[in-house]
Amino acid sequence: MRKLKTVILLTTGSAMLAACGGSGIFNRDRPDEFAVQRQAPLVVPPDFSLQPPAPGAPRPTEGTAQEQALDALFGGPAARSEIEKSALDRAGAAAPGIRSQVGDPGTNTVAKGSVTRDIIAAPEGDGQAAQTVIPG
């Protein structure tokens, strides 16, 4: 029984090994990854009047970090549909001091519950000293 298992194991192993070979070890019919394409020689650019960028200066094509953040958040200028244009026309322009009136104690607000109040009243910081409290 043991001899039979050994013969089956050797036959299976040699069949699997033979399947990997193809038509010989030294056969180079497969493509050579280094001979597929010749590398172009390096060329010095013709414009030598370029100046190195100043350290910390934004790239001229990318804009400032604030512009990048606004584009990422709001998507930049986009074509508006007729319904959206109509809604914006009916809404009219916002009051110039709207942002300062939001925090005014006399402004009427809707109570959102204690969770929202706790989130808004959370201390500022990077959260390294934050603790989790599970309400009981």
Side-chain angles (χ1 to χ4, degrees), residues 62-74:
E62 293 181 2
T64 64
Q66 184 177 8
E67 291 171 353
Q68 290 177 3
L70 288 174
D71 284 344
L73 288 173
F74 302 111

Side-chain angles (χ1 to χ4, degrees), residues 132-136:
T132 304
V133 177
I134 299 174

Side-chain angles (χ1 to χ4, degrees), residues 95-128:
I98 189 70
R99 294 188 188 274
S100 61
Q101 292 174 359
V102 170
D104 185 22
T107 303
N108 294 329
T109 58
V110 177
K112 297 286 185 178
S114 63
V115 174
T116 306
R117 186 175 352 118
D118 293 342
I119 291 171
I120 293 172
E124 293 183 15
D126 58 1
Q128 289 183 348

Side-chain angles (χ1 to χ4, degrees), residues 5 8 11 20 28 37 39 43 47 49 51 58 63 70 73 75 81 87 89 93 95 108 117 125 129 131 134-135:
K5 287 183 182 178
I8 291 175
T11 306
C20 297
R28 295 290 293 178
Q37 181 179 2
Q39 297 292 330
V43 178
D47 187 9
S49 64
Q51 305 235 348
L70 288 174
L73 288 173
S81 67
D89 289 341
N108 294 329
R117 186 175 352 118
Q131 295 179 352
I134 299 174

